[in-house]
């Protein structure tokens, strides 16, 4: 029979030659980061949840061949971290050729660490196209490709974050913060708290309980203590720690809620300093999941099992069942600051323009406003 002739007993035959490769099937998976106990990579997700579809080397090959997309984009790195949701919009509060001040939302981490390796303030600074006037670009040889943060705010802390655009600004702004830490070690008198300083930072916070005194200066040292699941340890009130100083001023006592609204000026900038100092004096931040009265973490030491229970089965650290520093929920806002400009030495200051003085302030969340501030805001909006 010829190729086109039907076999005996059949009217005709048909068929299309198979392609060398089939068209395949597309599967969609939803990864809920909130359900994860620790950072999860792409290869960990597929090799764990779909081990019957391919062995580990097979999933690695599929990823590197570009067969997997994440949020619509092809990913070829098996070790890409699948990260939890994080806000991404950053408001610019002040900007010149040397620095930029941002309003960071609560829930956004400043630098890569832990669960958040890509969804950070630094990543947003790198993604933005920072344009500088051509005349300035030719004159300034120390301009960086993007601004970099010169201090940190906790992931749950909102408000004002300073970033340097040039190497000179970065070095000088960093030195301002370092000077504050040195001055904290001298335990200055209250009257000298804001004198002769290159930078002063003021925060707004809502704390538990009613503070008796209108002003409290806290000088409790802060250091690292053992904490299960946090490899480098946890910052807490510690007599052998580094000097730290915070000035707490009562703005409003909310007796019906048993809360107090306070302003906190910090001299030094130790990690989680305000949370620790307010907890140390018996008034932790409202809804702070980590620090309790005394400035120590809220956790119960697990019973010993003969092995180090903080290690996971693969030898890495487990995410502790207790709260961790990046957990949010508390109410703390970097409200405003005063500083000398890192290159011009002009004083950048408070609330309005007065000659060489310029305000850098981050608008307050409503929960951290006084009654008078809420009333004024309502009048401005016609509410």
């Amino acid at each position: 029979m010829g190729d086109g002739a039907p076999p005996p007993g059949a009217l005709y035959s048909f068929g299309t030659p198979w392609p060398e490769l089939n068209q395949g099937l597309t599967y969609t998976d939803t990864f809920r980061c909130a359900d994860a106990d620790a950072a999860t990579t792409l290869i960990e997700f597929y090799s764990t949840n779909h081990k019957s579809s391919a062995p580990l080397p097979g999933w690695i090959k599929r990823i590197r061949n570009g067969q997997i997309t994440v949020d619509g984009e092809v990913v070829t790195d098996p070790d890409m971290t699948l990260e939890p949701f994080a806000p991404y919009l950053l408001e610019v509060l002040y900007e010149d050729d040397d620095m930029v001040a941002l309003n960071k939302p609560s829930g956004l981490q400043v630098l890569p660490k832990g669960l958040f390796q890509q969804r950070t303030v630094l990543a947003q600074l790198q993604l933005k196209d920072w344009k500088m006037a051509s005349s300035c670009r030719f004159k300034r040889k120390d301009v960086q490709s993007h601004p970099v943060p010169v201090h940190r705010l906790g992931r749950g802390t909102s408000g004002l974050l300073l970033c340097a655009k040039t190497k000179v600004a970065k070095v000088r702004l960093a030195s301002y913060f370092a000077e504050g830490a040195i001055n904290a070690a001298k335990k200055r008198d209250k009257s000298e708290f804001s004198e002769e300083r290159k930078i002063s930072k003021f925060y707004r916070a809502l704390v538990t309980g009613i503070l008796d005194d209108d002003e409290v200066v806290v000088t409790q040292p802060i250091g690292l203590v053992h904490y299960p699941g946090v490899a480098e340890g946890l910052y807490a009130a510690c007599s052998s720690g580094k000097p730290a100083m915070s000035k707490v001023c009562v703005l409003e006592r909310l007796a019906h809620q048993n809360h107090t609204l306070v302003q906190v000026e910090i001299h030094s900038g130790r990690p989680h300093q305000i949370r620790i100092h307010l907890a140390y004096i018996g008034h932790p931040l409202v809804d702070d999941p980590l620090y309790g009265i005394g400035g120590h973490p809220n956790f119960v030491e697990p019973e010993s099992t003969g092995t180090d229970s903080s290690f996971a089965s693969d030898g890495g650290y487990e995410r502790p069942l207790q709260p961790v520093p990046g957990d949010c929920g508390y109410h703390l806002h970097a409200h405003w600051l005063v500083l000398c400009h890192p290159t011009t030495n002009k004083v950048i200051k408070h609330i309005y323009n007065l000659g060489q003085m310029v305000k850098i302030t981050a608008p307050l969340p409503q929960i951290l406003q006084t009654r008078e501030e809420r009333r004024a805001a309502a009048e401005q909006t016609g509410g």
Side-chain angles (χ1 to χ4, degrees):
M1 293 187 300
D3 290 341
L11 296 177
Y12 65 93
S13 60
F14 72 94
T16 302
W18 297 116
E20 184 177 351
L21 298 175
N22 64 29
Q23 295 178 344
L25 298 174
T26 299
Y27 297 92
T28 300
D29 293 290
T30 300
F31 174 70
R32 292 180 174 84
C33 298
D35 298 335
D37 292 331
T40 300
T41 63
L42 191 60
I43 186 58
E44 288 171 343
F45 176 79
Y46 277 105
S47 62
T48 301
N49 293 280
H50 299 286
K51 60 178 65 177
S52 61
S53 298
L56 178 63
W59 280 117
I60 292 175
K61 184 176 180 179
R62 289 176 177 180
I63 295 171
R64 289 177 174 166
N65 285 345
Q67 294 177 245
I68 293 177
T69 64
V70 176
D71 293 334
E73 295 187 6
V74 174
V75 174
T76 58
D77 180 8
D79 295 320
M80 172 195 174
T81 302
L82 300 173
E83 298 186 20
F85 167 82
Y88 62 90
L89 287 178
L90 292 161
E91 299 172 354
V92 176
L93 304 171
Y94 175 91
E95 184 177 10
D96 60 28
D97 290 340
D98 296 282
M99 63 182 189
V100 59
L102 306 174
N103 187 11
K104 184 190 86 68
S106 174
L108 180 61
Q109 193 156 292
V110 176
L111 298 176
K113 190 174 183 181
L115 281 174
F116 296 89
Q117 297 296 320
Q118 299 168 358
R119 297 180 181 184
T120 63
V121 172
L122 180 61
Q124 288 294 335
L125 292 170
Q126 292 169 334
L127 290 169
K128 186 182 184 314
D129 182 16
W130 295 91
K131 295 181 179 179
M132 181 177 287
S134 58
S135 58
C136 294
R137 195 181 306 117
F138 291 126
K139 293 178 182 178
R140 304 292 296 273
K141 302 298 184 183
D142 66 336
V143 176
Q144 302 174 131
S145 59
H146 59 82
V148 293
V150 293
H151 64 106
R152 299 190 190 191
L153 296 177
R155 189 170 78 89
T157 304
S158 59
L160 206 156
L161 179 69
L162 270 184
C163 304
K165 286 184 169 183
T166 65
K167 296 176 183 177
V168 169
K170 179 182 177 182
V171 170
R172 291 183 180 172
L173 289 171
S175 71
Y176 293 174
F177 288 104
E179 287 173 10
I182 293 172
N183 290 336
K186 299 177 181 178
K187 297 184 179 180
R188 289 183 171 183
D189 179 78
K190 295 181 185 179
S191 63
E192 297 180 299
F193 202 88
S194 295
E195 301 297 325
E196 299 179 2
R197 293 172 59 193
K198 296 290 183 67
I199 190 166
S200 297
K201 297 183 295 180
F202 299 83
Y203 291 70
R204 188 73 64 93
L206 186 65
V207 304
T208 58
I210 305 298
L211 272 76
D212 295 326
D213 297 326
D214 291 339
E215 288 190 5
V216 180
V217 174
V218 188
T219 57
Q220 169 63 34
I222 293 173
L224 288 169
V225 298
H226 170 71
Y227 192 75
V230 180
E232 66 272 22
L234 180 74
Y235 285 96
C238 177
S239 59
S240 61
K242 294 182 178 180
M245 182 183 287
S246 304
K247 181 179 180 181
V248 183
C249 297
V250 171
L251 299 176
E252 205 165 73
R253 294 179 174 89
L254 308 172
H256 61 294
Q257 297 174 321
N258 195 34
H259 295 164
T260 304
L261 188 63
V262 298
Q263 174 179 278
V264 184
E265 179 186 1
I266 61 173
H267 226 270
S268 50
R270 306 300 179 197
H272 313 300
Q273 175 174 322
I274 294 176
R275 298 169 68 185
I276 293 169
H277 273 180
L278 289 170
Y280 176 77
I281 62 173
H283 298 278
L285 292 178
V286 171
D287 295 329
D288 189 334
L290 181 60
Y291 292 103
I293 291 176
H296 300 287
N298 290 313
F299 82 101
V300 177
E301 187 74 44
E303 294 182 6
S304 176
T305 60
T307 60
D308 191 339
S309 59
S310 65
F311 285 99
S313 58
D314 65 354
Y317 280 93
E318 291 277 17
R319 186 192 192 282
L321 298 177
Q322 295 82 14
V324 292
D327 290 345
C328 303
Y330 55 88
H331 305 287
L332 178 61
H333 182 76
H335 188 198
W336 61 280
L337 59 77
V338 179
L339 79 156
C340 292
H341 194 279
T343 60
T344 67
N345 286 326
K346 292 179 181 178
V347 177
I348 299 176
K349 197 177 180 182
H350 208 23
I351 302 182
Y352 37 70
N353 290 340
L354 277 178
Q356 295 180 349
M357 294 189 296
V358 183
K359 173 187 178 181
I360 305 184
T361 186
L364 288 164
Q366 187 174 24
I367 196 171
L368 293 178
Q369 295 175 350
T370 63
R371 283 189 290 268
E372 183 58 36
E373 288 168 338
R374 289 196 297 272
R375 188 180 302 115
E379 290 176 356
Q380 285 185 344
T381 58

